[in-house]
Every structure is written in structure tokens, then in C-alpha cells.
Amino acid sequence: MTKKFINRLDQGLSDLKESHLHREVRLYNNFECNLASNDYFQLRFHPKVIAGARRACEKFGSGSGASPLLSGFLPCHKELLEEIIVWKQKPYGMLFNSGFVANQAILKHLPGKKDLVLADRLIHHSLAQALLSCPAKFKRYSHLDMDELEKLLQKNHENFDTLFVVTESVFSMDGDYPDLKKLVALKHKYPFVLVLDEAHGTGVFGENGGGLAEEMGVLSDVDILIGTLGKSLASMGAYVLSHNQSVIDYLTNVSGEYIYSTFLSPSQVGAALESIKLIKTYDEQRKKIRRISKYVRSQLKQNYQEYESPIIPIFIGDPHKTLNLRDILLKNKILVGAVRPPTVPKETSRLRISLHSDINEESLDILLNLIKTWKKD
Ligand SMILES: Cc1ncc(COP(=O)(O)O)c(C=O)c1O
């Protein structure tokens, strides 16, 4: 390696440090209350989920052994897919190794040169980055702004072969969500392919934990539904579902992300399968998440009062101050995420509280008091 090359990297790193935007992998093991995971029901510790992983591992091996088209697609993958298809009420689907690659595959391969993709300004990096290598043109609309989206649809719907609208259900860094009923009404007026990423809605919303689309009664209007196995399903991997077989067949044939990667391991599959079975019955846990979400939001008196998701941002703005509050909370044995640009827009650095159904409510009061005291200083 040349000195010039390493100097360039070091310069980049020191710029990041100076602006308090440097990141490092840390082993957090000194906390009692974890408010920084996406495991909204703490299922990764559930004996049935662990037993499911063990069973699948013992039966099918520690790895899948190959990519899915070669021989990596095993009976456990088939069983999981069938379970998801029934749960999410879509007849066709496929599994991916992560939500990140599933999103990349969808936006890189499905929109064509003569198409237009309209995407919420705050969509997850896995989608935003894929837009840059998508053959279609794309435009971003202001976050959750259905009026602006309607104007874009009105202006463009006759000029392109196919329009796509891409949004998350529960936004990963803001915990808010679009009015999916309004979105679907727009779809009836100006036909488009609706791509919905339910990474954070799954498990938490809907009578069966099917997600926000289930909750809002619009599942049948979602054309391409993405969900991950790594959040409330306490495993790793993802699925893409559709009511149209061609979408799945096409991705199976052209998506390098799918074709050229060793398929997810049996233990991941076995864990996800058990999590789904449990989550479907988790009415009380879902109610608890909504209740504590409302409580924390009301105590914080910030924006975002009307949402009931487990993700609650505490806006601070300055990245250094954000890290400072994160460290104070950690000293008090509470772990929360500190999120800074470029993950979130400039001047919106924040703590990201991620609630889960096993939380002891006293720790929430400790958290809220610490935040209130810090603000006074
Ligand atoms: C909205 C959203 N989509 C996709 C992903 C990626 O999922 P995975 O962690 O399975 O790669 C994430 C993960 O943070 C996410 O928040």
C-alpha cells in the first residue's frame, strides 16, 4: 500500500473526528436497559426461538452450503417462505440474505429506463443508494408529504412507462409513518407500483403483527412488500413478496444479490419461523409497546406525538451534544443509539430510543428524568 493512499484515508478520518461524525464499533456490555436494538419483542432470547434455530441447524446443517439456485434453498427455507406468504397475504415471494440487499435488488433491477421512481426523502440508505444505480429517473418528495407526491404524480404520470413509489412504513430513524390509506388512494388515481419496506412495521402493527399495511387495511394494494428477519423476528435475512409471480421470477433470474450469494443459514431460518409463530399471538405485547410509546412521547413533549411506533427520536441537532447525552445515559446503564449525519440530515443529530415489550417501566422514568435534567444544564 502506498503512503499516499493511507494518508488520504487518515485525512478523511481526521475530518470526521473533527466534526464529531467519526464512527467506531464498540462493544457495549455495561448496560442494564437496552433501548438501542430493533428486537421489539426481545425474541432473540426466547427459548422457543433459540430451540427453532438449534433444530434447523441440527437437521439441515450450520450453513446452507450454496447459493439458492444451486442447492442452498432447503426445506427450512421453503417452510419459512410459505409461512410468510400466508402471514403477509401475498402469494409469491423470495428470501434474501438481508434487507439491505433485498432493497438493492428491487431498485436496481425492477425499474426500467423509461420509468420514474418517486421516493420519500428519508428512505433508508439501502434504498437511497440503490436509486443511484437504478436505470430509471428518480425524484424525492418531502418526507411523508402526500400532497407533494400527488403533484409529482399528476405532473409525470403520462410521461413515463411505469411509475414507482417507494416508502418505508415505519421510518427507521424517525419512527413516524405515512398515511398508507392516502397513498393507496393516490395509486388508484395515478397507477403506480407501490414498494413498501415494512422492516420496522412488522410485528409491531396489525392484528397478526403483519405490519402497518395490515393495520391500515391496505395490504392487497402493496405491489412489492419487503420485510426483514433481523428486527422483530430476531434473526437475519429478508423477504420480498408480491401478488404477481413475474416480479419474483424476474428478480430470481436477474438479481445478482440473490443468485451469487450463499443463502441464509438454517439456524437463521429456524429462528425466524418460531418468531413469526409467537409474534402472531403477541397482542398484549403490541398494546404495551403502543402504550409506552405514547407515554414517552407525551413526556418528551417533542414533535411526533401522534405516532405509536417503538422508535422515538430525541432531536438534539449538534452531533457532539448527542454523543454527550448518549454517554450520560450509558453511565446510568441505559443504552440508546446516537444517530448523526449522514445517517440523518445535517443538524438533526438525535438519540434514537427503540422500545421493546419487555421494558421495565421504571427504567423509562429514569431515562426521561436524565433527559430532562440534561436539558436544564
Ligand atoms: C427501513 C430499513 N430497511 C432495510 C434495512 C436493512 O435490513 P437488514 O438489517 O436486514 O439488512 C433496515 C436496517 O436497518 C431498515 O431500517
Side-chain angles (χ1 to χ4, degrees):
M1 268 184 282
T2 62
K3 205 162 180 337
K4 209 170 171 184
F5 167 56
I6 298 298
N7 283 346
R8 176 166 62 75
L9 302 190
D10 286 343
Q11 185 56 53
L13 289 168
S14 96
D15 291 349
L16 286 172
K17 278 182 188 151
E18 220 164 274
S19 44
H20 303 288
L21 296 177
H22 180 258
R23 299 162 190 233
E24 61 186 358
V25 181
R26 263 173 79 173
L27 179 63
Y28 294 104
N29 52 13
N30 190 22
F31 60 85
E32 281 160 13
C33 175
N34 184 352
L35 300 177
S37 94
N38 301 311
D39 180 8
Y40 302 120
F41 303 95
Q42 298 293 283
L43 283 173
R44 69 192 193 282
F45 303 112
H46 196 291
K48 285 192 175 168
V49 175
I50 293 170
R54 188 181 301 122
R55 255 196 325 274
C57 180
E58 280 168 1
K59 198 162 173 193
F60 300 108
S62 60
S64 69
S67 56
L69 297 185
L70 216 50
S71 64
F73 187 78
L74 302 170
C76 55
H77 296 94
K78 184 168 180 283
E79 190 184 348
L80 175 63
L81 196 51
E82 284 168 358
E83 180 79 27
I84 294 172
I85 277 172
V86 173
W87 184 34
K88 298 262 179 165
Q89 301 166 44
K90 296 265 167 235
Y92 307 103
M94 64 200 292
L95 300 173
F96 276 88
N97 286 348
S98 74
F100 197 98
V101 290
N103 282 343
Q104 296 269 309
I106 287 167
L107 289 189
K108 282 185 186 170
H109 304 298
L110 293 179
K113 274 188 194 149
K114 296 180 180 168
D115 299 343
L116 175 69
V117 180
L118 300 172
D120 187 290
R121 190 163 294 288
L122 296 188
I123 46 168
H124 189 258
H125 186 72
S126 53
L127 293 160
Q129 193 202 53
L131 280 178
L132 302 176
S133 14
C134 165
K137 288 206 167 60
F138 70 87
K139 288 183 198 298
R140 312 283 288 266
Y141 58 91
S142 303
H143 184 46
L144 306 184
D145 191 337
M146 293 298 119
D147 294 333
E148 189 178 326
L149 175 62
E150 174 154 24
K151 282 186 195 133
L152 285 170
L153 288 165
Q154 215 166 27
K155 193 170 158 204
N156 291 293
H157 77 285
E158 283 173 347
N159 306 335
F160 292 88
D161 276 5
T162 303
L163 265 62
F164 290 74
V165 172
V166 182
T167 182
E168 283 168 48
S169 62
V170 175
F171 275 77
S172 62
M173 294 300 142
D174 295 79
D176 53 0
Y177 30 88
D179 183 335
L180 291 181
K181 283 193 176 151
K182 267 195 186 165
L183 186 56
V184 162
L186 288 180
K187 189 182 151 183
H188 291 299
K189 216 164 155 188
Y190 310 97
F192 56 77
V193 176
L194 174 53
V195 180
L196 182 69
D197 180 345
E198 283 265 33
H200 297 277
T202 298
V204 173
F205 286 106
E207 210 183 322
N208 300 301
L212 193 68
E214 183 193 346
E215 169 108 10
M216 295 195 178
V218 297
L219 248 182
S220 61
D221 285 289
V222 179
D223 299 297
I224 300 174
L225 185 72
I226 306 124
T228 57
L229 308 179
K231 306 196 189 306
S232 63
L233 298 183
S235 178
M236 255 191 91
Y239 48 89
V240 172
L241 306 173
S242 179
H243 45 76
N244 190 304
Q245 188 171 5
S246 304
V247 171
I248 302 302
D249 283 354
Y250 192 77
L251 284 176
T252 304
N253 278 274
V254 303
S255 162
E257 296 81 359
Y258 182 76
I259 301 169
Y260 302 108
S261 189
T262 303
F263 213 25
L264 59 172
S265 74
S267 56
Q268 292 169 333
V269 173
L273 193 57
E274 285 306 314
S275 290
I276 294 174
K277 288 178 187 161
L278 288 165
I279 262 180
K280 282 184 184 170
T281 68
Y282 269 21
D283 276 354
E284 284 313 309
Q285 288 85 337
R286 272 187 276 284
K287 277 187 196 140
K288 176 170 174 189
I289 287 181
R290 291 169 94 130
R291 180 166 50 74
I292 57 179
S293 169
K294 273 187 183 164
Y295 174 68
V296 173
R297 286 167 201 275
S298 70
Q299 291 294 308
L300 287 171
K301 297 195 175 74
Q302 283 201 2
N303 300 334
Y304 295 74
Q305 293 288 329
E306 68 272 35
Y307 298 100
E308 296 182 353
S309 82
I311 302 169
I312 306 179
I314 301 179
F315 293 103
I316 293 167
D318 177 67
H320 187 43
K321 287 187 183 163
T322 306
L323 292 175
N324 172 260
L325 181 54
R326 192 268 318 266
D327 290 342
I328 291 173
L329 296 177
L330 197 52
K331 272 194 193 122
N332 286 274
K333 309 235 179 274
I334 300 173
L335 177 63
V336 300
V339 193
R340 297 163 291 159
T343 306
V344 292
K346 272 188 192 152
E347 276 140 44
T348 72
S349 287
R350 67 197 70 177
L351 293 185
R352 175 184 184 265
I353 300 179
S354 184
L355 302 172
H356 60 77
S357 58
D358 278 1
I359 279 176
N360 155 356
E361 293 176 46
E362 277 165 20
S363 9
L364 290 180
D365 285 327
I366 297 173
L367 167 86
L368 289 164
N369 279 333
L370 286 165
I371 293 171
K372 284 175 193 165
T373 321
W374 179 79
K375 278 194 169 167
K376 279 184 210 144
D377 288 344

